[in-house]
Amino acid sequence: VMLKMDYFMPTLSFKDRGAAVLIAHCTSIGVDRVVQDSSGNAGNAVAAYCARAGIACEIFVPEGTSPKKIDMIRAHGATCTVVPGSRDHCAEVCREKVEREGVYYANHVYNPFFYEGTKTYLYEVYEQLGRLPRHLVIPVGNGTLFLGVMHALDELLAAGCIEKAPQIIALQSEGCDPLLRAAEQGLSVPAAVTPRPTLAEGIAIGRPMRGKEILGYAARYGVRFVHAPEQDILRERAYLAERGVYCEHTTAANLAAYRNYCARFGEAEDCLITMCGAGLKSDH
Ligand SMILES: Cc1ncc(COP(=O)(O)O)c(C=O)c1O
Protein backbone atom coordinates (compact mmCIF):
# COMPACT_ATOMS: atom_id res chain seq x y z
CA VAL A 1 0.00 0.00 0.00
CA MET A 2 1.32 3.43 -0.92
CA LEU A 3 0.18 6.85 0.23
CA LYS A 4 0.46 9.87 -2.05
CA MET A 5 1.03 12.97 0.04
CA ASP A 6 -1.28 15.19 -1.93
CA TYR A 7 -1.71 17.72 0.84
CA PHE A 8 1.87 18.90 0.26
CA MET A 9 0.40 21.93 -1.50
CA PRO A 10 0.36 25.65 -0.64
CA THR A 11 -3.14 25.43 0.91
CA LEU A 12 -2.68 21.90 2.27
CA SER A 13 -5.12 20.02 0.06
CA PHE A 14 -5.28 18.61 -3.47
CA LYS A 15 -7.71 21.36 -4.46
CA ASP A 16 -4.71 23.54 -5.35
CA ARG A 17 -4.31 21.44 -8.49
CA GLY A 18 -7.67 22.61 -9.83
CA ALA A 19 -7.62 26.13 -8.40
CA ALA A 20 -4.25 26.95 -9.98
CA VAL A 21 -5.61 26.21 -13.47
CA LEU A 22 -9.04 27.76 -12.88
CA ILE A 23 -7.69 31.05 -11.52
CA ALA A 24 -5.04 31.24 -14.25
CA HIS A 25 -7.96 31.00 -16.69
CA CYS A 26 -9.82 33.77 -14.80
CA THR A 27 -6.74 35.99 -15.10
CA SER A 28 -6.44 35.27 -18.82
CA ILE A 29 -10.03 36.40 -19.51
CA GLY A 30 -9.83 39.48 -17.27
CA VAL A 31 -12.08 38.39 -14.38
CA ASP A 32 -11.61 40.70 -11.38
CA ARG A 33 -14.11 39.22 -8.91
CA VAL A 34 -15.28 35.67 -8.20
CA VAL A 35 -17.58 33.78 -5.85
CA GLN A 36 -17.44 30.13 -4.94
CA ASP A 37 -19.12 27.67 -2.56
CA SER A 38 -17.13 24.96 -0.82
CA SER A 39 -16.93 22.59 2.12
CA GLY A 40 -13.69 24.44 2.90
CA ASN A 41 -10.71 23.11 0.98
CA ALA A 42 -11.72 24.19 -2.52
CA GLY A 43 -12.64 27.60 -1.09
CA ASN A 44 -9.21 27.82 0.58
CA ALA A 45 -7.48 27.04 -2.67
CA VAL A 46 -9.54 29.46 -4.78
CA ALA A 47 -9.05 32.22 -2.15
CA ALA A 48 -5.26 31.70 -2.13
CA TYR A 49 -4.83 31.71 -5.91
CA CYS A 50 -7.15 34.74 -6.20
CA ALA A 51 -4.99 36.56 -3.63
CA ARG A 52 -1.93 35.79 -5.73
CA ALA A 53 -3.69 36.94 -8.92
CA GLY A 54 -5.21 40.11 -7.40
CA ILE A 55 -8.79 38.90 -7.90
CA ALA A 56 -11.47 39.77 -5.32
CA CYS A 57 -13.04 36.65 -3.87
CA GLU A 58 -16.02 35.61 -1.74
CA ILE A 59 -16.37 32.04 -0.47
CA PHE A 60 -19.59 30.52 0.89
CA VAL A 61 -19.17 27.63 3.33
CA PRO A 62 -21.81 25.63 5.24
CA GLU A 63 -22.17 25.96 9.00
CA GLY A 64 -19.99 23.45 10.82
CA THR A 65 -17.04 23.94 8.45
CA SER A 66 -13.76 23.53 10.32
CA PRO A 67 -12.79 26.92 11.80
CA LYS A 68 -9.20 26.54 10.56
CA LYS A 69 -10.42 26.42 6.97
CA ILE A 70 -12.47 29.58 7.50
CA ASP A 71 -9.48 31.34 9.11
CA MET A 72 -7.30 30.46 6.14
CA ILE A 73 -9.86 31.73 3.61
CA ARG A 74 -10.04 35.07 5.46
CA ALA A 75 -6.25 35.24 5.83
CA HIS A 76 -6.04 35.20 2.04
CA GLY A 77 -8.14 38.38 2.02
CA ALA A 78 -11.34 36.73 0.81
CA THR A 79 -14.75 37.27 2.35
CA CYS A 80 -16.01 34.05 3.92
CA THR A 81 -19.78 33.78 4.39
CA VAL A 82 -20.97 30.94 6.62
CA VAL A 83 -24.41 29.70 5.49
CA PRO A 84 -26.72 27.92 7.98
CA GLY A 85 -27.90 24.49 6.82
CA SER A 86 -26.45 21.84 4.58
CA ARG A 87 -23.59 21.93 2.06
CA ASP A 88 -26.15 21.65 -0.73
CA HIS A 89 -28.10 24.66 0.58
CA CYS A 90 -24.84 26.64 0.77
CA ALA A 91 -24.31 26.02 -2.95
CA GLU A 92 -27.84 27.24 -3.70
CA VAL A 93 -27.25 30.49 -1.78
CA CYS A 94 -24.01 31.07 -3.71
CA ARG A 95 -25.66 30.39 -7.07
CA GLU A 96 -28.47 32.85 -6.24
CA LYS A 97 -25.79 35.52 -5.79
CA VAL A 98 -24.20 34.57 -9.11
CA GLU A 99 -27.54 34.99 -10.88
CA ARG A 100 -28.50 38.17 -9.05
CA GLU A 101 -25.17 39.98 -9.47
CA GLY A 102 -23.68 38.35 -12.55
CA VAL A 103 -20.41 37.72 -10.72
CA TYR A 104 -18.02 35.03 -12.04
CA TYR A 105 -18.71 31.61 -10.50
CA ALA A 106 -15.24 30.14 -9.90
CA ASN A 107 -16.77 26.83 -9.05
CA HIS A 108 -14.72 23.66 -8.81
CA VAL A 109 -17.64 21.41 -9.72
CA TYR A 110 -18.96 23.15 -12.83
CA ASN A 111 -15.88 24.79 -14.28
CA PRO A 112 -14.06 22.44 -16.70
CA PHE A 113 -10.71 24.16 -16.09
CA PHE A 114 -10.68 22.78 -12.55
CA TYR A 115 -10.57 19.22 -13.90
CA GLU A 116 -7.59 20.07 -16.09
CA GLY A 117 -5.82 20.65 -12.79
CA THR A 118 -7.06 17.60 -10.87
CA LYS A 119 -6.11 15.46 -13.87
CA THR A 120 -2.47 16.09 -12.98
CA TYR A 121 -2.88 13.81 -9.94
CA LEU A 122 -2.77 10.74 -12.14
CA TYR A 123 -0.18 12.11 -14.57
CA GLU A 124 2.08 12.71 -11.59
CA VAL A 125 1.52 9.18 -10.26
CA TYR A 126 2.43 7.81 -13.69
CA GLU A 127 5.53 9.99 -13.85
CA GLN A 128 6.65 9.12 -10.34
CA LEU A 129 6.18 5.36 -10.61
CA GLY A 130 6.68 4.95 -14.35
CA ARG A 131 3.39 2.98 -14.31
CA LEU A 132 0.02 3.04 -12.56
CA PRO A 133 -0.69 0.93 -9.44
CA ARG A 134 -3.26 -1.85 -9.74
CA HIS A 135 -5.67 -0.17 -7.29
CA LEU A 136 -6.42 3.50 -6.64
CA VAL A 137 -8.49 4.72 -3.68
CA ILE A 138 -10.35 7.92 -4.55
CA PRO A 139 -12.78 9.83 -2.27
CA VAL A 140 -15.92 11.09 -4.01
CA GLY A 141 -18.11 13.95 -2.88
CA ASN A 142 -18.61 16.16 -5.93
CA GLY A 143 -16.04 14.04 -7.73
CA THR A 144 -13.47 16.67 -8.73
CA LEU A 145 -10.55 14.32 -8.09
CA PHE A 146 -12.48 11.31 -9.38
CA LEU A 147 -13.36 12.99 -12.68
CA GLY A 148 -9.87 14.39 -13.10
CA VAL A 149 -8.50 10.87 -12.65
CA MET A 150 -11.03 9.50 -15.16
CA HIS A 151 -10.12 12.12 -17.77
CA ALA A 152 -6.44 11.29 -17.24
CA LEU A 153 -7.17 7.56 -17.59
CA ASP A 154 -8.94 8.19 -20.91
CA GLU A 155 -5.89 10.08 -22.10
CA LEU A 156 -3.24 7.65 -20.82
CA LEU A 157 -5.10 4.80 -22.51
CA ALA A 158 -5.54 6.73 -25.76
CA ALA A 159 -1.85 7.67 -25.77
CA GLY A 160 -0.87 4.03 -25.27
CA CYS A 161 0.95 4.79 -21.99
CA ILE A 162 -1.11 2.12 -20.23
CA GLU A 163 -2.95 -0.90 -21.60
CA LYS A 164 -5.43 -1.42 -18.82
CA ALA A 165 -7.08 0.86 -16.27
CA PRO A 166 -6.45 0.17 -12.57
CA GLN A 167 -9.29 -0.89 -10.29
CA ILE A 168 -10.72 2.34 -8.92
CA ILE A 169 -12.05 2.13 -5.36
CA ALA A 170 -14.39 5.09 -4.92
CA LEU A 171 -15.46 5.91 -1.40
CA GLN A 172 -18.37 7.76 0.10
CA SER A 173 -19.43 8.52 3.65
CA GLU A 174 -21.97 6.25 5.34
CA GLY A 175 -23.91 9.40 6.20
CA CYS A 176 -24.00 10.70 2.63
CA ASP A 177 -23.75 8.17 -0.21
CA PRO A 178 -25.95 9.11 -3.19
CA LEU A 179 -23.49 7.74 -5.75
CA LEU A 180 -22.76 4.48 -3.95
CA ARG A 181 -26.49 3.82 -3.64
CA ALA A 182 -27.08 4.69 -7.29
CA ALA A 183 -24.28 2.34 -8.39
CA GLU A 184 -25.72 -0.46 -6.24
CA GLN A 185 -29.20 0.09 -7.63
CA GLY A 186 -28.01 0.41 -11.23
CA LEU A 187 -29.27 4.02 -11.48
CA SER A 188 -27.72 6.49 -13.90
CA VAL A 189 -28.39 9.47 -11.61
CA PRO A 190 -27.52 9.94 -7.91
CA ALA A 191 -29.98 8.38 -5.44
CA ALA A 192 -32.00 10.76 -3.26
CA VAL A 193 -30.47 10.89 0.23
CA THR A 194 -30.83 13.04 3.32
CA PRO A 195 -27.25 13.69 4.47
CA ARG A 196 -26.47 12.73 8.06
CA PRO A 197 -23.63 14.30 10.07
CA THR A 198 -20.21 12.80 9.29
CA LEU A 199 -16.61 13.43 10.28
CA ALA A 200 -15.80 13.26 6.57
CA GLU A 201 -17.08 16.79 5.89
CA GLY A 202 -15.22 17.05 2.58
CA ILE A 203 -17.25 14.31 0.91
CA ALA A 204 -20.68 15.11 2.42
CA ILE A 205 -22.36 16.04 -0.86
CA GLY A 206 -26.01 15.00 -1.04
CA ARG A 207 -26.65 16.19 -4.60
CA PRO A 208 -23.46 15.93 -6.66
CA MET A 209 -24.03 18.10 -9.71
CA ARG A 210 -21.93 15.91 -11.98
CA GLY A 211 -23.44 12.73 -10.58
CA LYS A 212 -24.58 11.41 -13.93
CA GLU A 213 -21.12 11.90 -15.42
CA ILE A 214 -19.50 10.19 -12.39
CA LEU A 215 -21.84 7.21 -12.65
CA GLY A 216 -21.24 6.98 -16.40
CA TYR A 217 -17.48 6.75 -15.85
CA ALA A 218 -17.98 4.34 -12.95
CA ALA A 219 -19.95 1.96 -15.18
CA ARG A 220 -17.44 2.25 -18.03
CA TYR A 221 -14.38 1.59 -15.85
CA GLY A 222 -15.93 -0.95 -13.46
CA VAL A 223 -15.40 1.33 -10.47
CA ARG A 224 -16.34 -0.19 -7.10
CA PHE A 225 -17.95 2.07 -4.51
CA VAL A 226 -17.42 1.39 -0.81
CA HIS A 227 -18.33 3.15 2.41
CA ALA A 228 -15.84 4.68 4.79
CA PRO A 229 -17.28 3.26 8.04
CA GLU A 230 -17.94 6.27 10.26
CA GLN A 231 -16.83 4.52 13.45
CA ASP A 232 -13.39 3.78 11.93
CA ILE A 233 -12.43 7.32 10.89
CA LEU A 234 -10.95 8.50 14.21
CA ARG A 235 -9.09 5.23 14.71
CA GLU A 236 -7.53 5.40 11.23
CA ARG A 237 -6.61 9.03 11.75
CA ALA A 238 -4.77 8.09 14.95
CA TYR A 239 -3.18 5.07 13.20
CA LEU A 240 -1.76 7.31 10.47
CA ALA A 241 -0.64 9.99 12.94
CA GLU A 242 1.27 7.38 14.96
CA ARG A 243 3.18 6.64 11.75
CA GLY A 244 3.96 10.30 11.02
CA VAL A 245 1.05 11.17 8.73
CA TYR A 246 -1.31 13.74 10.25
CA CYS A 247 -4.26 13.97 7.88
CA GLU A 248 -7.73 15.46 7.82
CA HIS A 249 -10.69 13.44 9.09
CA THR A 250 -12.02 13.26 5.51
CA THR A 251 -8.68 11.80 4.44
CA ALA A 252 -8.57 9.23 7.24
CA ALA A 253 -11.85 8.03 5.71
CA ASN A 254 -9.82 6.94 2.66
CA LEU A 255 -7.89 4.43 4.75
CA ALA A 256 -11.08 3.29 6.52
CA ALA A 257 -12.65 2.65 3.11
CA TYR A 258 -9.57 0.79 1.86
CA ARG A 259 -9.82 -1.64 4.77
CA ASN A 260 -13.55 -2.02 4.18
CA TYR A 261 -12.85 -2.81 0.52
CA CYS A 262 -10.27 -5.49 1.45
CA ALA A 263 -12.71 -7.07 3.91
CA ARG A 264 -15.41 -7.24 1.22
CA PHE A 265 -13.49 -7.97 -1.97
CA GLY A 266 -10.17 -9.41 -0.77
CA GLU A 267 -6.70 -7.91 -0.44
CA ALA A 268 -6.19 -4.94 -2.77
CA GLU A 269 -2.54 -5.35 -3.64
CA ASP A 270 -0.39 -2.59 -5.12
CA CYS A 271 -2.82 0.06 -3.94
CA LEU A 272 -2.35 3.83 -3.85
CA ILE A 273 -4.35 5.83 -1.32
CA THR A 274 -4.45 9.59 -1.65
CA MET A 275 -3.72 11.72 1.40
CA CYS A 276 -5.51 14.78 0.12
CA GLY A 277 -6.11 16.98 3.17
CA ALA A 278 -3.74 17.98 6.02
CA GLY A 279 -4.63 17.21 9.63
CA LEU A 280 -4.41 20.73 11.03
CA LYS A 281 -7.24 21.81 8.75
CA SER A 282 -9.90 19.74 10.46
CA ASP A 283 -8.77 20.24 14.06
CA HIS A 284 -11.30 22.20 16.06
C1 LIG B 1 -9.81 16.38 1.99
C2 LIG B 1 -10.83 16.15 0.93
N1 LIG B 1 -10.94 14.92 0.40
C3 LIG B 1 -11.85 14.67 -0.57
C4 LIG B 1 -12.70 15.64 -1.03
C5 LIG B 1 -13.70 15.28 -2.08
O1 LIG B 1 -13.58 16.02 -3.25
P1 LIG B 1 -14.80 16.10 -4.24
O2 LIG B 1 -15.97 16.69 -3.48
O3 LIG B 1 -14.40 16.94 -5.34
O4 LIG B 1 -15.11 14.70 -4.65
C6 LIG B 1 -12.63 16.93 -0.51
C7 LIG B 1 -13.50 17.99 -1.00
O5 LIG B 1 -13.59 19.07 -0.48
C8 LIG B 1 -11.67 17.18 0.49
O6 LIG B 1 -11.56 18.40 1.03
Side-chain angles (χ1 to χ4, degrees), residues 159-196:
C161 296
I162 54 169
E163 284 173 9
K164 190 170 168 278
Q167 174 65 57
I168 306 291
I169 302 168
L171 67 108
Q172 292 223 281
S173 156
E174 278 181 333
C176 189
D177 56 0
L179 296 161
L180 181 149
R181 287 190 200 199
E184 279 182 358
Q185 294 164 26
L187 306 175
S188 61
V189 292
V193 297
T194 306
R196 282 180 284 121

Side-chain angles (χ1 to χ4, degrees), residues 31 35 41 52 66 73 84 88 116 122 127 129 144-145 151 184 198 214 218 221 223 227 237-238 244 267 276:
V31 169
V35 294
N41 279 335
R52 180 91 179 125
S66 298
I73 290 168
D88 297 305
E116 292 303 307
L122 202 68
E127 260 175 20
L129 297 176
T144 61
L145 181 60
H151 294 177
E184 279 182 358
T198 169
I214 294 169
Y221 278 104
V223 170
H227 278 133
R237 188 167 185 255
E267 214 45 49
C276 45

